[in-house]
C-alpha cells in the first residue's frame, strides 16, 4: 500500500512561487500531480516517469511549473513559479504502478492518491 503525503501548499500572491512535495512515494512508480478547483473536474498538471527522463505538463503551466523527483528520498516535487489566481486549487499527487516509462495525463491510470494540499493564489 502506498500512502502519499503532500505538503507545501499555502496562500501566495500572484507572481509568487511555491514548491509542493509528495513524500512516501516509490522509485518504482510514475508520479503525477493533479489539481481540482471548486466546481471543476480534477485535471492533470504534471507527470514524471520512474527515471525522471520523461515529463509531461498541462499546457497552461508549461514554462511555469517544474516536476522533479528524488528517488533516494522517495519524494516528488512540483515547483510552481509565476503563479496566477487561476492556479488556485487543491493539488494532489498520484502514483501510476503500471506505466514506468511515460507519465499518463489520465486520472484513471493512477492507482494511489494523496489527501491533497490547498494552493491559493491571490490577485
Amino acid at each position: 500500500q502506498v500512502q502519499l503525503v503532500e505538503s507545501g501548499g499555502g496562500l501566495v500572491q500572484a507572481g509568487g512561487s511555491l514548491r509542493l512535495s509528495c513524500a512516501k512515494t516509490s522509485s518504482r512508480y510514475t508520479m503525477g500531480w493533479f489539481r481540482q478547483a471548486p466546481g471543476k473536474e480534477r485535471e492533470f498538471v504534471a507527470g514524471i516517469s520512474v527515471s525522471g527522463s520523461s515529463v509531461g505538463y498541462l499546457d497552461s503551466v508549461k514554462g511555469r511549473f517544474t516536476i522533479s523527483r528524488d528517488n533516494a528520498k522517495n519524494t516528488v516535487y512540483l515547483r510552481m513559479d509565476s503563479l496566477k489566481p487561476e492556479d488556485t486549487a487543491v493539488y494532489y499527487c498520484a502514483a501510476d504502478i503500471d506505466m514506468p516509462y511515460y507519465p499518463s495525463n489520465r486520472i484513471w491510470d493512477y492507482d494511489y492518491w494523496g489527501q491533497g494540499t490547498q494552493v491559493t493564489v491571490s490577485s
Side-chain angles (χ1 to χ4, degrees):
Q1 185 73 17
V2 177
Q3 294 183 323
L4 306 174
V5 181
E6 301 100 334
S7 61
L11 174 64
V12 64
Q13 289 188 332
S17 299
L18 285 174
R19 189 180 78 159
L20 306 183
S21 299
C22 177
K24 299 185 178 181
T25 64
S26 170
S27 61
R28 297 177 295 166
Y29 302 149
T30 287
M31 297 298 299
W33 284 98
F34 291 77
R35 67 186 181 187
Q36 187 165 18
K40 295 187 177 181
E41 294 185 351
R42 192 170 298 189
E43 65 178 354
F44 172 83
V45 175
I48 187 167
S49 63
V50 167
S51 68
S53 62
S54 182
V55 296
Y57 295 95
L58 177 70
D59 283 346
S60 62
V61 308
K62 286 180 180 177
R64 300 189 298 121
F65 290 12
T66 304
I67 189 170
S68 60
R69 67 189 301 161
D70 184 336
N71 286 338
K73 296 182 178 179
N74 285 341
T75 302
V76 175
Y77 305 96
L78 184 68
R79 171 74 181 188
M80 304 185 296
D81 296 315
S82 302
L83 282 161
K84 303 176 181 180
E86 51 264 43
D87 294 318
T88 295
V90 178
Y91 283 71
Y92 300 89
C93 69
D96 178 354
I97 67 175
D98 294 321
M99 291 191 288
Y101 303 115
Y102 188 81
S104 170
N105 62 358
R106 301 179 301 190
I107 291 175
W108 55 87
D109 282 333
Y110 289 81
D111 306 281
Y112 299 106
W113 293 81
Q115 82 289 350
T117 185
Q118 177 71 47
V119 171
T120 303
V121 184
S122 63
S123 57

